[in-house]
Amino acid sequence: MTSGRSSTPSGETWTIAELADEFDVTHRTIRHYEQLGLISPERRGTTRVFHRRDRTRLALILRGKRIGFDLEEIRRIIDMYDEQPGEAGQLAYLLDQIKERTAELERRRQDIDDSLAELGSLAKRCRADLRALRR
Amino acid sequence: MTSGRSSTPSGETWTIAELADEFDVTHRTIRHYEQLGLISPERRGTTRVFHRRDRTRLALILRGKRIGFDLEEIRRIIDMYDEQPGEAGQLAYLLDQIKERTAELERRRQDIDDSLAELGSLAKRCRADLRALRR
DNA sequence: TTGCTCCTCACGTCACGTGAGGTGGC
DNA sequence: TTGCTCCTCACGTCACGTGAGGTGGC
């Protein structure tokens, strides 16, 4: 059995460490996504070999997470992208999800702005108290 | 033993169901926060009686969560608000925490803005696909 | 041979969800 | 008495974290 690395043109595959590094996640996280069927890297022996498709899907997964989808929703959405065009029902579903997520994110941004304002005035009071103590 | 409800002026206390309703969380969630010492409602027998202070803290907890802090961080922050100022060392520490939190929040807001932009263009493509299908 | 990276279990954790089974006052 | 709300366990779940223990190629 000639297990070789030379069969693929270099630059088109990644190791788990390379992807973990690039996307700032742990190896465990990537393996977890594989276990759930979100990505399916090739195997060379036991070692995983990631192709461009896997890398793209990983990027989509992480983006989905930042937006607030859970992994099951992400699986559905990614698969929708992958299954070529998609029919009207699927697109409508996706659009609906997008609306919900958008509203959620806007709420979150408002919360953050409120908190930033509060932290700002708290800092101000804090600095004033410090100045008062120094005299 | 005269266990009465008449000892407090009405309108100043809440039941667990009232708060759960108002903030759209489950009873379990509120009890969980109590277990962690984030809130400490009064007891009348076994039943919890929530005062304005508890309600305020619950609001702060939920906002902290939406912003993305874990419950331990939230406990520290809320306690900082509650403890009256204090001495220079504490103030300096608090100011330092505020700076960290502020930087963190600004990163998070950027992330949300990016995600909102992405969702926007995704929705656009989605609607275009739908229009194409309808013809 | 030594190091490094890779691997597979498998238990732990965090923030609750979800019943099971029981109590108390209008 | 019947309903409703409240309660306390306590196991389940989701998305990984974190070792333990072992393999493979430069």
Side-chain angles (χ1 to χ4, degrees):
Chain A
M1 211 188 189
T2 54
S3 77
R5 290 218 142 181
S6 48
S7 56
T8 351
S10 83
E12 277 302 287
T13 68
W14 292 264
T15 67
I16 194 169
E18 283 163 357
L19 289 188
D21 234 59
E22 179 178 351
F23 292 105
D24 198 30
V25 294
T26 66
H27 295 201
R28 171 65 167 117
T29 296
I30 295 177
R31 291 185 192 118
H32 185 57
Y33 296 157
E34 186 189 6
Q35 266 192 339
L36 298 185
L38 291 170
I39 42 180
S40 14
E42 193 198 334
R43 294 291 183 128
R44 223 154 272 178
T46 62
T47 303
R48 290 167 178 83
V49 177
F50 297 82
H51 294 265
R52 182 160 297 278
R53 173 191 157 86
D54 302 309
R55 188 168 163 278
T56 303
R57 289 181 70 103
L58 181 55
L60 287 173
I61 293 164
L62 296 174
R63 191 162 73 188
K65 278 200 48 186
R66 283 199 303 276
I67 293 171
F69 290 110
D70 69 33
L71 293 179
E72 192 46 43
E73 291 173 316
I74 289 172
R75 203 185 50 69
R76 285 208 299 274
I77 292 171
I78 292 183
D79 288 349
M80 277 172 14
Y81 273 105
D82 264 8
E83 291 166 11
Q84 291 302 54
E87 31 107 14
Q90 281 190 358
L91 283 171
Y93 168 78
L94 182 53
L95 205 52
D96 200 54
Q97 293 292 307
I98 291 170
K99 270 183 200 163
E100 271 181 41
R101 290 304 138 195
T102 301
E104 170 72 21
L105 285 181
E106 267 156 6
R107 266 205 308 283
R108 240 184 256 180
R109 187 169 56 172
Q110 188 57 55
D111 280 335
I112 286 180
D113 285 347
D114 291 350
S115 298
L116 278 171
E118 271 178 28
L119 281 180
S121 65
L122 185 55
K124 214 170 171 180
R125 259 164 39 211
C126 212
R127 278 190 296 267
D129 287 351
L130 267 175
R131 272 197 307 276
L133 276 177
R134 283 207 188 97
R135 258 178 263 136
Chain B
M1 211 185 188
T2 54
S3 77
R5 291 218 142 183
S6 48
S7 55
T8 352
S10 84
E12 277 301 288
T13 67
W14 291 264
T15 67
I16 194 169
E18 283 164 356
L19 288 188
D21 233 60
E22 179 178 351
F23 292 106
D24 199 29
V25 295
T26 67
H27 295 201
R28 171 66 167 117
T29 296
I30 295 176
R31 290 185 192 118
H32 185 59
Y33 296 157
E34 185 190 6
Q35 266 193 340
L36 298 184
L38 292 171
I39 43 180
S40 14
E42 193 199 332
R43 295 289 184 129
R44 223 155 273 180
T46 62
T47 303
R48 291 166 178 84
V49 177
F50 296 82
H51 294 265
R52 183 160 296 278
R53 175 192 156 85
D54 302 309
R55 188 168 163 278
T56 302
R57 289 180 70 104
L58 181 55
L60 287 173
I61 293 164
L62 295 174
R63 192 163 74 189
K65 278 202 49 190
R66 285 196 299 275
I67 293 171
F69 292 111
D70 69 32
L71 294 180
E72 192 46 43
E73 291 173 316
I74 290 171
R75 203 184 51 70
R76 286 207 299 274
I77 294 171
I78 292 183
D79 287 348
M80 273 173 14
Y81 276 102
D82 265 8
E83 288 166 16
Q84 288 302 57
E87 34 105 15
Q90 279 190 2
L91 282 171
Y93 170 79
L94 180 54
L95 205 53
D96 199 54
Q97 292 292 307
I98 291 171
K99 271 184 200 164
E100 270 181 44
R101 292 302 140 199
T102 300
E104 171 71 21
L105 284 183
E106 267 155 5
R107 267 204 307 282
R108 242 167 240 183
R109 186 168 58 171
Q110 189 56 56
D111 211 42
I112 285 180
D113 284 347
D114 293 350
S115 298
L116 277 171
E118 276 175 25
L119 279 180
S121 64
L122 184 55
K124 213 170 172 180
R125 263 169 31 216
C126 213
R127 278 190 295 268
D129 287 351
L130 266 175
R131 272 196 306 277
L133 276 177
R134 285 209 185 96
R135 258 177 263 137

